[in-house]
Amino acid sequence: MPGRGLLLDPFPGSGPHGSAERPVRRGRIVDPESCGRLLGRIADAALGPDRSDSVIVLSHPVLAGAEHRTAARALLAGLGTTRVLVLSSARAAAAYAGPRETGPLLVIDMGAELTEVTLLVGGLVADARQAESGLDDLDGLDPATLPTVLGRTVLDMITSMWRHDRHGAIRGALRKGPVLAGGGALRSDVTEHLARCLGTRVRLADDPSTTVVRGAGQILSSVLRHRPAPPERSGHPR
């Protein structure tokens, strides 16, 4: 939030019976009721009881289907906010860690339960691949082999996109250097392995694990700066 930074769930892991709530799995809402409670707690802490004149940005996995995006919109609408902006996690990551120059950009997001590779052209998703596996699935591996296994997953997706690229956008994006996001990008052995295999430099934010949420925050700040203030109310937009 502008002026307050990141606001997290004030009571993390507090389900209705004291059990941990995990309402989102593999990038999908699997428990709408728990998800609504979690969002409500965050909204109470961030916005208070009056949510009018507030804006929320929702980022979702690039290949999230319409059903899951609709479910997320419905939950956010129940919070009583004025406006909801929806964008892909790749666009949010690019907003925070991407280069300022235009042209094709490759975003590699290595999360706990999903691994995604997205090609952005002109800020729009031109192609994307997703593997329903992530760092949590590799916990049992020998740490020495993890970079190779995760790297192979990423390289297979990039190779598939390369085969379908008729305009050289992938080649241009690789020359520029892909943006790495997610917890996997916190591991230097993983980032060094990818840079070596791709034969290019890679771009990292200060904290790759929060690249997406910080990019969404930048987009939110831009929206708040450029929207007209409602004439009938005073105070600061949220």
Side-chain angles (χ1 to χ4, degrees), residues 204-228:
L204 289 168
D206 294 338
D207 181 6
S209 62
T210 60
T211 295
V212 171
V213 71
R214 292 180 187 277
Q218 283 190 347
I219 292 169
L220 172 60
S221 295
S222 177
V223 169
L224 294 179
R225 281 196 307 270
H226 292 95
R227 74 172 186 172

Side-chain angles (χ1 to χ4, degrees), residues 76-87:
L76 293 179
L79 298 178
T81 58
T82 302
R83 185 180 179 190
V84 174
L85 303 178
V86 180
L87 72 156

Side-chain angles (χ1 to χ4, degrees), residues 99-189:
R100 299 302 95 185
E101 67 267 20
T102 59
L105 181 66
L106 203 61
V107 178
I108 301 171
D109 192 345
M110 299 171 286
E113 298 183 325
L114 289 177
T115 304
E116 294 186 306
V117 178
T118 307
L119 175 65
L120 298 173
V121 177
L124 301 178
V125 176
D127 199 0
R129 298 289 186 277
Q130 181 187 86
E132 293 204 358
S133 61
L135 293 177
D136 285 358
D137 302 288
L138 305 178
D139 273 348
L141 286 181
D142 179 348
T145 65
L146 188 147
T148 302
V149 174
L150 184 55
R152 174 49 52 193
T153 298
V154 171
L155 291 171
D156 285 347
M157 289 191 281
I158 293 176
T159 301
S160 174
M161 295 167 71
W162 187 297
R163 294 192 184 113
H164 292 85
D165 179 19
R166 299 181 179 180
H167 304 290
I170 288 287
R171 186 180 295 108
L174 287 174
R175 280 199 300 265
K176 185 182 299 181
V179 169
L180 301 188
L186 289 170
R187 297 185 52 128
S188 59
D189 53 350

Side-chain angles (χ1 to χ4, degrees), residues 227-233:
R227 74 172 186 172
E232 73 278 7
R233 295 182 63 88

Side-chain angles (χ1 to χ4, degrees), residues 49-55 79-82 227 233 236-238:
D50 180 10
R51 281 81 180 273
S52 57
D53 293 335
S54 59
V55 182
L79 298 178
T81 58
T82 302
R227 74 172 186 172
R233 295 182 63 88
H236 301 287
R238 297 166 295 164

